[in-house]
Amino acid sequence: MMKIDVAIIGGGPAGLAAAIGARRAGIQNVLILEREAYLGGILNQCIHNGFGLHTFKEELTGPEYAERYVLQIEEMGIPYMLNTMVLNITRDKKITAANSGGLLEIEAGAVILAMGCRERPRGALNIPGTRPVGVYTAGTAQKYVNLDGYMPGKEVVVLGSGDIGLIMARRLTFEGAKVRAVIELMPYSGGLKRNIVQCLDDYGIPLKLSHTVTEIKGAPRLAGVTVAQVDENRKPIPGTEEYIPCDTLLLSVGLIPENELSKSADVLLSDITGGAVVNERLETNVEGIFSCGNVLHVHDLVDFVSEESERAGENAAQYVRGEHLSNKDGGGVRLLATNGVRYTVPFTIDPRNVKDKVDVRFRVDNVYRDKYVSVYFGDEREQRRRRMILTPGEMETVVIKKEMFLKYPGVKTITVTIEE
Amino acid sequence: MQKEIICISCPMGCRMSVTLDAGKVSQVTGATCKKGVDYAELECTNPMRIVTSTVPLSGSPLNTLPVKTQHAIPKDKIMDCVRSLKGITAKAPVAAGDIIVENVCGIGVNIVATRSSV
Amino acid sequence: MYDVAIVGAGIIGACVARKLSGYAIKTVVIEKDSDVGTGCTRANSGIVHGGYDAKPGSLKAKYNVLGQKMYDRLAKELRFPFKRNGSLVIAFDEKDIPRLEQLKEQGVENGLLDLRIAHKDELKELEPNLSENVYAALVVPAGGIVSPYEMAIAFAENAAQNGVEFMLDSEATSIDKKDGYFLISTPKGKVEARIIVNAAGEHSDEINNMLSEHKLKIIPRSGEYCLIDRTEGGLVKHTVFQLPTKMGKGILVTPTAEGNLLIGPTSADIEEKGNTATTMQGLGEVLEKARLSVKRVPINKIITSFCGLRPRTELDEFIIEEAKDVPGLINLCGIESPGLTAAPAIAEEVGRMIAERLNPAENKGFDPIRKITAPFRDMTGDERRAAIKENPDYGHIICRCETVTKAEIIAALRSPLPVRSLDAIKRRTRAGMGRCQAGFCSMRLLDIIAEECGISITDVTKSGGGSNILIERNKTSI
């Protein structure tokens, strides 16, 4: 049995920053467990630029961003194990992992969940038709092209206009494919404007909003897809069908936090985020188990992942030293997300643990123009900020300051809401 | 000449009309803020892009090496730049920032590695 | 010259192959696809039927009940997933009780003595997630669930282990009757055999019609299904049928032998053989009708949907006989439901027919036990430790959703059947079958298959012929 003060599950951007946070906060005995042959996680396959503007004030590619953190890990001498798959975590923070050296058993003082997320597969969409070769999630295709250096096809349709789908449309164009169209169910794209312009418009790739794929055709190889316009209830409109020949269909239809291990440790998950229900310290309902990055909630910018995860690392360090108040007594103020706000992270705040402020992250359920984001303490409106635009694709933030709690002693709920 | 473009500076995605006189921007309408006007001027006179791609990598556990143009290049040179990478293989060891192709397409910008490998 | 050529390596062909491997004769299995069990066997309900449903006196009834009773022993010998979970046939109305009674009587006549009818209160205890509208149900304790393709693989591997040869990617394109033997043409060469066992499923009419003047016709009937994540596998414990209709046994809700939840099938006669496309109407019908049986259908946990074909003839009965005008051609045709259940018993019958004709000696070396190591997933901590020590590839987890190791993938590639497609590996190891549907492991699998088989990564296929996953190096076409 190995004894580790802070064990970190996953060596992607979240795990790396969490390890750095824990070490900076004074914990020597930190260990990162990574299933791949290298650190950096999914960033290694995100070879496009656009990372790190907040953190490093310059625009990096995914591998460059990862390398900055890996260098810090090396400089700080933080230990990590590669090619190591965690198989189980218990609620008393015992970890079982496997690698070619054997089975590892670790007793951890604190555990930081940093496993990231996975893509929603075809089955989740239940698209009728054949089951040919040539249908992949965008991230799988990204692996094939960016890591292995091989093409899955030459004529491509992308379903879903999330950023990975947009980025892959451009990538496949560079590598010799013809991208026929990007199909989006919603009347707006979930991707960044910059990606729509620089990944689609630059190459004349049409973006079909309010459309979906209604049938997959061909066997054994994909021969084409039927695409149709949808009505306001997202149901295909008969008569609008169009057949697009293609040998590859990429799905970019959402990400799901990868919480199978969290479940084994009895961590309570939110139906909305798919991630753990955490308090202001990013601690789950299981004391000493923390969660950060995309396994907690899907982020749009890696910079926010790093920032959040570093805090998780610091908090885990404090927990190991017994420096913070337990959440056992349920002393937290509950955060409520209403009227267009889908969720908040954290879900509760214990004012006694707030040093100066808490960044509350949230997402909205639709596109809102010229509205106000308000924060209520109990029934009292404490904050009201005008926002020209709010979109589901962008993570938003409100800042809850220590002094607000002083102003409303005994407050039970804080509500984040959208108003006229 | 009139050009219609979408601003990429923020999620608003303002649709802007840009009037060009003799290659210079004389008027921008539809922008909600100054950032939009600045973007419109640059995008309509001298659109630039960073280009990222991969080349095969030999002598490494990695199969490919990700690369990028060291600086943004003119938008109309993107495909030339990508094509010029065809047939190029990098050799390990390589460090992020190492030059893989010098002065790509003669436009004065190098292609550099964006990942290190032993 | 072979003594017997079995055409088709579905569940019927595989069971017959294993039966014949008990004799000292030369047997070959000729299969058009790149793996066994890829036709009707791959996509069906995976139910071992009790035997109440078939008309008393029919071949369906006879082989259903005989076959059903063989499963416990076979599953042990051949190590395929099987569980006798029991079936329920539910009725929604008091006036359907006579139909349940009738089914029960039919079952008793077929030899099932432990059938009974349970009423609402008891059902609530038995299956708390049944719909409130369920009034009563026929309880069939003998009903079971099995993984049909794993069963086909198990029979085929054990047959191969005992000396049967398998030719994959070898479609029988023509067959000529010679003097005392048949000459079968395949893309991999000609095969001579004294006896042909026609187990070609959906294509068994074509094989018969190449030789016999008594023409047969398969009218494929499609069935669509939705497969739901293992987290929902416990929604029901029994296989829950609705009262049967003319078109089949209706939409069922069942746990699968691997622990998923399965709902389906629809039932529609189709024109085109091999058309296993799902349809919007079909999938809609599956969900709608499943909702009648259970309180909730977890549609947000659907992993995949698929469509299977039933190799039906107009006779509504199995054909298990030598073609009248072609001595030596044994037809196993129209083996639709309960064909999977009946398969081992049909194989016994075919064994008897072959023995009559060839009078063979026993295969002295026959080993009924399939040699296979337990999956890492099912090992205890100590077993895992020992396995990794013995072979470090056990410590290299390739598929995270199903906890499949590199050692198991390599073992599958080196198994008695020469398979190398992604789907073949998936069926043997479950790699890529979990909730992420191979998003994580497919690239690793391609690399392992290419390395182990000594082929280029662009030659690795999803399911054989033309289904290559990667087509060319980056920038080839720019």
Side-chain angles (χ1 to χ4, degrees):
Chain A
M1 185 76 75
M2 224 166 143
K3 292 217 179 210
I4 299 291
D5 285 340
V6 177
I8 293 153
I9 319 298
L16 296 176
I20 291 166
R23 177 59 71 83
R24 281 204 184 124
I27 300 293
Q28 279 307 305
N29 186 10
V30 175
L31 176 65
I32 302 171
L33 298 162
E34 168 56 44
R35 64 190 179 197
E36 291 287 354
Y38 37 75
L39 294 174
I42 221 77
L43 283 173
N44 287 303
Q45 71 185 59
C46 301
I47 64 156
H48 53 280
N49 59 309
F51 299 89
L53 270 173
H54 289 251
T55 313
F56 299 110
K57 309 294 171 224
E58 62 179 306
E59 218 179 281
L60 303 173
T61 66
E64 290 173 314
Y65 186 95
E67 213 161 298
R68 299 247 170 145
Y69 278 87
V70 174
L71 281 175
Q72 286 186 64
I73 295 281
E74 302 283 5
E75 277 164 16
M76 295 167 93
I78 296 174
Y80 53 87
M81 297 179 95
L82 302 176
N83 294 311
T84 302
M85 182 77 86
V86 174
L87 300 172
N88 192 56
I89 305 171
T90 65
R91 62 172 302 134
D92 50 356
K93 303 189 281 293
K94 290 199 175 71
I95 299 165
T96 313
N99 62 26
S100 52
L103 273 197
L104 297 167
E105 278 171 341
I106 295 169
E107 208 176 277
V111 175
I112 301 179
L113 306 171
M115 293 89 77
C117 58
R118 66 162 176 266
E119 296 175 280
R120 202 178 287 280
R122 171 186 173 183
L125 303 174
N126 225 8
I127 308 170
T130 55
R131 301 210 296 162
V133 69
V135 183
Y136 306 103
T137 59
T140 301
Q142 194 175 45
K143 263 190 203 138
Y144 289 148
V145 176
N146 291 355
L147 297 182
D148 253 0
Y150 287 89
M151 297 287 283
K154 291 188 188 182
E155 308 258 328
V156 184
V157 169
V158 182
L159 174 59
S161 63
D163 286 312
I164 314 173
L166 300 176
I167 295 282
M168 280 314 291
R170 177 176 63 186
R171 264 309 280 151
L172 290 169
T173 305
F174 283 2
E175 299 301 342
K178 172 79 192 155
V179 180
R180 297 278 169 211
V182 175
I183 311 296
E184 171 59 55
L185 181 67
M186 304 303 287
Y188 52 83
S189 164
L192 297 173
K193 278 284 173 297
R194 165 178 147 136
N195 285 335
I196 290 169
V197 170
Q198 297 193 352
C199 298
L200 303 188
D201 297 354
D202 277 4
Y203 307 95
I205 299 167
L207 170 61
K208 289 172 167 285
L209 297 173
S210 296
H211 277 69
T212 193
V213 172
T214 55
E215 192 175 1
I216 291 173
K217 289 187 174 171
R221 181 163 290 281
L222 180 64
V225 294
T226 305
V227 167
Q229 203 182 328
V230 296
D231 61 21
E232 57 274 17
N233 299 316
R234 300 183 216 166
K235 293 275 173 265
I237 302 171
T240 64
E241 294 88 358
E242 175 195 358
Y243 181 71
I244 307 180
C246 59
D247 62 9
T248 308
L249 174 67
L250 297 190
L251 306 176
S252 178
V253 289
L255 300 167
I256 308 167
E258 182 125 300
N259 270 303
E260 277 64 40
L261 287 171
S262 320
K263 283 183 209 161
S264 75
D266 296 337
V267 167
L268 183 67
L269 302 179
S270 154
D271 284 342
I272 301 167
T273 59
V277 173
V278 294
N279 61 24
E280 76 290 340
R281 300 183 303 281
L282 305 169
E283 187 183 26
T284 67
N285 62 307
V286 183
E287 234 190 80
I289 298 186
F290 297 78
S291 178
C292 58
N294 281 350
V295 77
L296 176 56
H297 57 136
V298 175
H299 293 60
D300 47 356
L301 291 180
V302 70
D303 304 73
F304 292 148
V305 168
S306 299
E307 188 264 345
E308 174 180 283
S309 304
E310 199 166 331
R311 270 197 296 128
E314 289 162 11
N315 293 335
Q318 284 172 18
Y319 170 81
V320 169
R321 286 198 299 261
E323 284 173 7
H324 75 216
L325 292 167
S326 157
N327 61 355
K328 265 193 200 142
D329 58 5
V333 177
R334 276 207 312 143
L335 275 89
L336 304 177
T338 64
N339 195 29
V341 178
R342 285 181 59 226
Y343 68 86
T344 66
V345 168
F347 293 74
T348 61
I349 299 177
D350 187 336
R352 298 169 301 174
N353 282 320
V354 178
K355 273 207 206 91
D356 45 354
K357 60 157 187 142
V358 182
D359 289 340
V360 174
R361 310 282 193 201
F362 68 94
R363 279 189 196 254
V364 297
D365 64 0
N366 209 330
V367 176
Y368 295 94
R369 287 177 188 277
D370 200 8
K371 300 273 183 226
Y372 291 82
V373 173
S374 295
V375 178
Y376 285 79
F377 276 65
D379 296 332
E380 302 282 330
R381 185 163 71 202
E382 167 61 28
Q383 211 185 82
R384 176 173 156 89
R385 293 260 155 81
R386 185 175 173 196
R387 299 299 311 271
M388 292 309 286
I389 190 159
L390 295 159
T391 74
E394 304 247 337
M395 206 168 74
E396 301 286 339
T397 308
V398 289
V399 179
I400 307 288
K401 295 200 173 114
K402 176 89 178 170
E403 55 261 33
M404 295 178 188
F405 288 107
L406 300 176
K407 212 161 130 191
Y408 304 96
V411 67
K412 291 277 181 287
T413 60
I414 296 172
T415 306
V416 182
T417 189
I418 300 172
E419 294 177 330
E420 290 300 322
Chain B
M1 197 179 77
Q2 284 284 119
K3 258 192 166 177
E4 304 292 321
I5 64 167
I6 298 172
C7 183
I8 65 164
S9 307
C10 85
M12 287 282 285
C14 295
R15 286 173 189 281
M16 303 182 290
S17 279
V18 185
T19 314
L20 287 157
D21 279 325
K24 286 203 165 171
V25 173
S26 58
Q27 197 193 13
V28 178
T29 59
T32 317
C33 71
K34 176 74 167 60
K35 271 194 224 164
V37 178
D38 293 347
Y39 171 75
E41 287 190 357
L42 188 66
E43 186 66 11
C44 290
T45 54
N46 188 22
M48 303 285 278
R49 302 283 188 269
I50 297 227
V51 174
T52 62
S53 188
T54 59
V55 295
L57 179 62
S58 67
S60 162
L62 308 178
N63 295 322
T64 63
L65 179 71
V67 297
K68 68 173 183 183
T69 54
Q70 205 164 10
H71 307 289
I73 64 168
K75 188 175 137 183
D76 58 8
K77 296 282 184 213
I78 294 175
M79 289 316 283
D80 290 344
C81 168
V82 172
R83 266 185 217 106
S84 73
L85 292 176
K86 185 172 175 172
I88 300 228
T89 298
K91 282 193 187 62
V94 62
D98 284 359
I99 294 172
I100 303 301
V101 180
E102 248 177 88
N103 188 15
V104 69
C105 304
I107 48 178
V109 174
N110 298 325
I111 300 284
V112 296
T114 59
R115 188 175 181 182
S116 305
S117 173
V118 284
Chain C
M1 171 78 69
Y2 290 96
D3 293 304
V4 181
I6 300 166
V7 181
I11 191 64
I12 302 295
C15 285
V16 171
R18 197 250 186 175
K19 175 65 196 173
L20 297 188
S21 73
Y23 297 126
I25 55 173
K26 268 190 79 173
T27 304
V28 64
V29 181
I30 297 169
E31 166 56 46
K32 72 176 171 54
D33 284 338
S34 61
D35 195 4
V36 304
T38 59
C40 307
T41 305
R42 181 175 65 168
N44 59 69
S45 307
I47 304 301
V48 175
H49 293 285
Y52 58 85
D53 188 49
K55 205 168 75 198
S58 66
L59 293 179
K60 281 187 172 180
K62 175 182 169 188
Y63 290 110
N64 182 339
V65 175
L66 284 174
Q68 178 258 100
K69 291 180 177 163
M70 297 169 74
Y71 268 76
D72 302 270
R73 175 176 58 83
L74 289 169
K76 246 181 233 145
E77 288 178 355
L78 298 173
R79 314 250 313 245
F80 58 85
F82 165 68
K83 199 176 160 197
R84 221 174 262 283
N85 64 324
S87 306
L88 299 177
V89 185
I90 56 172
F92 298 102
D93 203 305
E94 192 177 353
K95 68 175 192 287
D96 287 329
I97 294 287
R99 289 187 61 204
L100 285 186
E101 292 284 1
Q102 196 189 330
L103 273 186
K104 184 181 162 204
E105 277 161 35
Q106 188 167 288
V108 171
E109 212 177 326
N110 289 344
L112 291 177
L113 303 177
D114 53 357
L115 301 180
R116 65 192 176 83
I117 290 171
H119 287 271
K120 196 160 189 165
D121 291 344
E122 188 193 343
L123 286 173
K124 270 187 182 162
E125 300 253 316
L126 224 51
E127 285 291 358
N129 290 322
L130 279 188
S131 151
E132 288 294 335
N133 298 324
V134 175
Y135 181 80
L138 179 68
V139 184
V140 187
I145 44 181
V146 65
S147 165
Y149 55 84
E150 285 186 70
M151 180 177 160
I153 290 167
F155 274 82
E157 284 192 0
N158 187 237
Q161 216 177 287
N162 287 309
V164 172
E165 289 174 44
F166 280 80
M167 292 172 61
L168 302 178
D169 293 309
S170 305
E171 181 173 359
T173 48
S174 69
I175 306 177
D176 295 313
K177 177 91 178 102
K178 302 281 182 188
D179 190 14
Y181 70 96
F182 297 95
L183 184 66
I184 307 165
S185 302
T186 82
K188 290 213 177 150
K190 298 204 187 279
V191 175
E192 295 172 348
R194 275 184 247 283
I195 295 176
I196 288 180
V197 175
N198 173 13
E202 204 193 333
H203 302 282
S204 54
D205 55 344
E206 296 157 42
I207 299 296
N208 172 74
N209 297 350
M210 286 178 191
L211 293 164
S212 171
E213 287 311 309
H214 297 280
K215 301 299 178 192
L216 294 173
K217 185 169 169 53
I218 293 285
I219 311 151
R221 182 174 274 182
S222 73
E224 299 184 34
Y225 295 87
C226 294
L227 185 71
I228 298 170
D229 196 290
R230 287 216 248 188
T231 53
E232 300 292 339
L235 187 75
V236 288
K237 293 186 286 293
H238 296 75
T239 300
V240 180
F241 294 93
Q242 296 163 3
L243 268 170
T245 68
K246 233 192 287 174
M247 287 297 277
K249 297 187 179 75
I251 299 281
L252 59 81
V253 178
T254 185
T256 69
E258 295 101 335
N260 294 85
L261 187 74
L262 181 69
I263 58 176
T266 54
S267 195
D269 288 339
I270 57 165
E271 296 293 317
E272 191 191 341
K273 282 183 183 176
N275 180 3
T276 53
T278 55
T279 62
M280 199 169 286
Q281 299 90 309
L283 296 177
E285 186 191 331
V286 168
L287 297 177
E288 190 188 316
K289 292 200 175 154
R291 281 192 194 104
L292 299 174
S293 298
V294 285
K295 279 185 185 142
R296 62 183 177 91
V297 176
I299 52 171
N300 58 342
K301 296 280 174 63
I302 292 174
I303 294 179
T304 185
S305 52
F306 60 88
C307 175
L309 298 179
R310 308 164 175 101
R312 209 182 131 257
T313 71
E314 272 168 351
L315 301 174
D316 190 28
E317 175 64 309
F318 296 160
I319 297 170
I320 303 172
E321 61 191 21
E322 188 170 40
K324 291 193 179 62
D325 56 344
V326 191
L329 170 64
I330 296 175
N331 278 321
L332 307 176
C333 209
I335 315 291
E336 57 172 331
S337 182
L340 171 65
T341 313
I346 293 174
E348 289 297 316
E349 171 62 17
V350 174
R352 203 188 52 72
M353 290 163 80
I354 302 270
E356 238 171 43
R357 285 161 180 78
L358 299 177
N359 197 22
E362 248 179 65
N363 174 6
K364 292 244 163 45
F366 177 75
D367 182 354
I369 307 298
R370 176 183 174 214
K371 288 184 183 53
I372 181 180
T373 48
F376 186 78
R377 176 175 53 245
D378 297 339
M379 290 181 189
T380 65
D382 285 340
E383 286 167 344
R384 287 177 171 183
R385 241 173 245 114
I388 299 173
K389 202 169 176 194
E390 171 87 20
N391 177 359
D393 281 346
Y394 270 110
H396 192 169
I397 314 281
I398 300 298
C399 166
R400 62 179 171 196
C401 301
E402 299 289 327
T403 321
V404 182
T405 66
K406 187 175 179 184
E408 293 159 84
I409 288 155
I410 289 177
L413 289 166
R414 293 178 186 170
S415 69
L417 301 173
V419 291
R420 50 171 61 170
S421 74
L422 216 53
D423 279 357
I425 299 306
K426 171 164 133 181
R427 283 195 284 267
R428 281 159 181 77
T429 64
R430 293 190 65 81
M433 214 176 262
R435 50 185 74 85
C436 92
Q437 292 282 289
F440 175 72
C441 67
S442 59
M443 197 177 99
R444 295 157 160 236
L445 290 171
L446 294 188
D447 288 338
I448 295 171
I449 294 172
E451 196 188 324
E452 176 66 23
C453 301
I455 56 177
S456 157
I457 199 164
T458 50
D459 290 333
V460 181
T461 66
K462 178 175 184 283
S463 54
S467 64
N468 304 54
I469 294 174
L470 301 174
I471 58 162
E472 61 189 27
R473 272 190 178 277
N474 287 358
K475 297 192 179 72
T476 304
S477 297
I478 195 170

